[in-house]
Each structure stands twice: as C-alpha cells, then as structure tokens.
Amino acid sequence: MLCMRGVVLPEREEREFWIDGQVLRAGRPPGGRAGREAETIVDGGWLLPGLVDVHTHPGALEPGTPFDEELLRRQLGEHRNAGVLAVRTPGTAQRMPAWVEKDPDLPHVVSAGRWLATPGRFFPGAGRDVSEAELVRAAVEEARASSGWCKVIGDWRLDEPAVPLPLLTAVAEAVHAVGGKVAVHCQTAEGARHAVLAGVDSLEHGMHLDPALLDRMAAQGTAFVPTLSAFGANADAMRAREPSVRRDLWLAGWDAMPGTVRAAHEAGVSVLAGTDSFPCGTVGGEMDWLVRAGIPAEVALGAASWTARSWLGLPGLVDGAPADLVAYTTDPTLDPGALGRPSRIVLRGRVVR
C-alpha cells in the first residue's frame, strides 16, 4: 500500500493520501489489512495533479511524415517521464489507436481525431483533406470517432483567407449538437475572429487575435492555447530572414502575443499550456513562457496541471480520483525549473519514478 504526504497545490494545504489500486484515497490508510504494509513514497515537499499538455502531436516528427505507432509510444513515454500524465492531441495524421488508452504505462490521451483541412489550408495529405462542403459532416465524424473533439484548420497562410465564418459556425453547431467540442488552428486576425464568433471551444495558437474579442471568449468559455514556446523557438530565425509580407506579418503577430496572452488572463479567459513541438515532455517550458508573458506563476502552473485537468474533465488530488500525481522537493511556483526535476511520478497508481 503506497502512501504520501506533502503540500497540495493549488490549495497549499498539507495532506495525506494512499493508493487503492488505481484510485487515490484521502487521509491515512485503514489499518489491520493483513499482508498490506504501508510504504511511504513521498514524505514532504509539494504534490501536484499530473501535468497536462493540451496541444501536442505525438506519433509523427512533423506534419506530412507517416504516422508511426512506435514513435507514438515513445513520445507518450517522454511526456510521462516528465510528469505529463494527460495530453490532448488536437489533430494527428490518423486517429489514435485503441491500444493507447489501454496501456497502463502511458498518459491519459484526449484525442481530436485527424486534422480537418479544406483546400489550401494545411500540408497536403497531413490530415483529412475535405472540401468546404464536406467539412461539417467530417467534423462530426471525427468528434464521434475520437474523445469527443475535432480539430479544424481555420486558416493557414497569413495573407490568405480563413475558413468562412458561416461555415465554421455550422461546424461548431453540428459538433456541439452531438456533445462534441471544436478546436481551431488560427494564426491570422480573420481566422481568430471567425473562431471566436463561431463559438468554438478552443483557439490553438491565436496569433493576431484581436484583444477586443477576449471578453466574448471569456463569456462563452472559449479557451486560449497560445503555444508560446513553439513560436518563441522560431522567432530569431524569422527575424534573420529577408523582409517580406509574410515574415513581417508573422513577427508583428509574435511581438503582440505576450501582451494578448496577459490580457486574455486578465479578461477571465482560460489560458492553457500546450507545446506543439518536440521533444515531448517540455510543458514546463511553456509555463515559463506564460510567466514571461505576465501571467502569475501559480496560474501558469495551473495551466499545465489542475486548471487544464479540470478543463478536460479530469479531477485533481481528491478522494476517489485517478492516482495520477507528481511530487517536487521545492515549490514549482517559486522555482519553475523544478518541473524538470520531479522527485516522484505516479501514474494510474503505479510509481513511474
């Protein structure tokens, strides 16, 4: 019988837990169970619900390359080894294999099926290419075949038109009618505007998002996943390019993103942590970018843990929850680098580290 105690975030209360199979139990374990001696695996420090990456694409090194199930297993393992015990995959080259959620050694996966791309709006053949006339039906099909999500490529080139607002609105209404949710890739002002006005559930990237839309996002519950670390990794290379319309639009969008992310938090929008990059298991770096954008450290940590779990319908560290937790010797809100140094990782009631 495994036991642990420590300061639980975000409550900042010292608590004790024990593990009953794959379930977390609050308090001290009941005594008198023959043959089940208690083993304390965490005694002090800081306890978090498992970390979450809400925008990751394991299974292929880049869009357009073949989907590889062995690579999928390895990359999900990279997430797990970093304490990322739940992920959302907003678009992959093929639907998530059934064995993924059955494997006790891998994180919980919330999938959105295949990327849905209308002509000219994605890498050809990287996801599910559909015409605009087919998009609504395809979105419902992917939502039903996945974890309830679908992912639409809402725009592509910075100087080309986005998916029309009436069409994206029809997608959101149809998917919501069957109990699903819609994620939208958007990196142009028009694409972001259409996604918000259509009432989708999450904006992925959101470059060039108009701050005037933030109050509406908050009111209707549209989350913002800015993937700052992915953009930040490319910023220097983009600045080194010869000036062009696309380069200058990209840089203008990137330069505005930290302020937009901070304003989104202040407006009450759920800002969540997603990496959209490799290697997997680097959501701590995204938390660091969120802090640099001006989001309080504890809020940024929640974006990669308890807030993201709640948004995905997963509980935190409460009695009866799945036994998924990560322990640290120092407070990660004061030492963001601590996220890269977990002292203990427990997934589905089993000690991973």
Side-chain angles (χ1 to χ4, degrees), residues 229-241 250-251 254-255 289:
S229 51
F231 286 116
N234 294 321
D236 288 344
M238 189 65 74
R239 290 189 196 282
R241 291 185 180 183
W250 192 99
L251 288 173
W254 165 244
D255 289 343
W289 275 102

Side-chain angles (χ1 to χ4, degrees), residues 302-343:
S305 180
W306 57 85
T307 303
R309 291 182 68 88
S310 176
W311 185 70
L312 291 175
L314 301 172
L317 297 184
V318 296
D319 188 79
D324 301 329
L325 61 91
V326 191
Y328 302 92
T329 57
T330 58
D331 183 350
T333 64
L334 301 178
D335 176 18
L339 286 188
R341 305 186 302 272
S343 60

Side-chain angles (χ1 to χ4, degrees), residues 14-78:
E14 186 167 297
R15 295 181 185 172
E16 292 183 276
F17 298 97
W18 60 284
I19 295 173
D20 183 11
Q22 296 187 20
V23 177
L24 195 66
R25 296 299 182 192
R28 296 184 178 182
R33 296 192 179 188
R36 297 189 66 188
E37 293 185 3
E39 175 188 358
T40 299
I41 59 171
V42 179
D43 190 2
W46 303 82
L47 302 178
L48 272 70
L51 300 182
V52 183
D53 189 330
V54 301
H55 189 123
T56 180
H57 302 290
L61 292 177
E62 59 185 30
T65 58
F67 190 82
D68 184 330
E69 293 195 13
E70 284 307 309
L71 179 62
L72 172 66
R73 186 186 299 276
R74 185 163 68 251
Q75 290 178 328
L76 287 174
E78 292 172 358

Side-chain angles (χ1 to χ4, degrees), residues 5-353:
R5 68 174 65 90
V7 177
V8 173
L9 290 174
E11 294 85 356
R12 295 190 173 274
E13 298 175 353
E14 186 167 297
R15 295 181 185 172
E16 292 183 276
F17 298 97
W18 60 284
I19 295 173
D20 183 11
Q22 296 187 20
V23 177
L24 195 66
R25 296 299 182 192
R28 296 184 178 182
R33 296 192 179 188
R36 297 189 66 188
E37 293 185 3
E39 175 188 358
T40 299
I41 59 171
V42 179
D43 190 2
W46 303 82
L47 302 178
L48 272 70
L51 300 182
V52 183
D53 189 330
V54 301
H55 189 123
T56 180
H57 302 290
L61 292 177
E62 59 185 30
T65 58
F67 190 82
D68 184 330
E69 293 195 13
E70 284 307 309
L71 179 62
L72 172 66
R73 186 186 299 276
R74 185 163 68 251
Q75 290 178 328
L76 287 174
E78 292 172 358
H79 278 303
R80 175 205 61 213
N81 294 341
V84 178
L85 306 184
V87 302
R88 184 186 61 142
T89 60
T92 45
Q94 72 178 47
R95 292 171 184 164
M96 201 59 52
W99 57 261
V100 169
E101 190 58 33
K102 297 177 182 178
D103 191 326
D105 294 326
L106 298 180
H108 303 277
V109 175
V110 176
S111 68
R114 293 172 287 180
W115 286 289
L116 292 169
T118 48
R121 294 194 177 102
F122 201 41
F123 303 102
R128 181 176 175 182
D129 296 321
V130 297
S131 68
E132 290 191 354
E134 298 169 320
L135 182 59
V136 173
R137 176 179 56 81
V140 171
E141 288 176 354
E142 293 301 321
R144 282 177 163 164
S146 68
S147 301
W149 281 86
C150 71
K151 167 74 172 292
V152 176
I153 306 299
D155 57 26
W156 193 234
R157 302 292 183 186
L158 295 175
D159 52 353
E160 295 179 357
V163 172
L165 175 56
L167 177 56
L168 201 54
T169 301
V171 167
E173 290 175 348
V175 172
H176 290 163
V178 299
K181 296 184 178 182
V182 181
V184 174
H185 166 106
C186 49
Q187 57 185 19
T188 70
E190 182 184 52
R193 176 178 177 274
H194 288 183
V196 174
L197 297 183
V200 306
D201 300 280
S202 69
L203 262 66
E204 313 299 315
H205 315 303
M207 183 179 272
H208 296 284
L209 171 63
D210 183 351
L213 295 168
L214 295 175
D215 287 342
R216 178 160 181 162
M217 288 177 65
Q220 67 193 23
T222 299
F224 184 19
V225 187
T227 62
L228 292 175
S229 51
F231 286 116
N234 294 321
D236 288 344
M238 189 65 74
R239 290 189 196 282
R241 291 185 180 183
E242 290 294 323
S244 68
V245 171
R246 288 179 178 174
R247 167 195 177 273
D248 294 347
L249 281 170
W250 192 99
L251 288 173
W254 165 244
D255 289 343
M257 281 193 78
T260 302
V261 169
R262 181 174 62 253
H265 162 67
E266 293 170 351
V269 175
S270 292
V271 178
L272 303 174
T275 58
D276 191 33
S277 61
F278 300 110
C280 293
T282 58
V283 77
E286 182 67 14
M287 175 197 164
D288 185 52
W289 275 102
L290 293 175
V291 171
R292 281 192 266 173
I295 289 184
E298 189 152 325
V299 175
L301 181 56
S305 180
W306 57 85
T307 303
R309 291 182 68 88
S310 176
W311 185 70
L312 291 175
L314 301 172
L317 297 184
V318 296
D319 188 79
D324 301 329
L325 61 91
V326 191
Y328 302 92
T329 57
T330 58
D331 183 350
T333 64
L334 301 178
D335 176 18
L339 286 188
R341 305 186 302 272
S343 60
R344 187 72 74 187
I345 301 171
V346 178
L347 171 63
R348 305 176 199 263
R350 301 172 59 196
V351 177
V352 173
R353 174 176 173 178

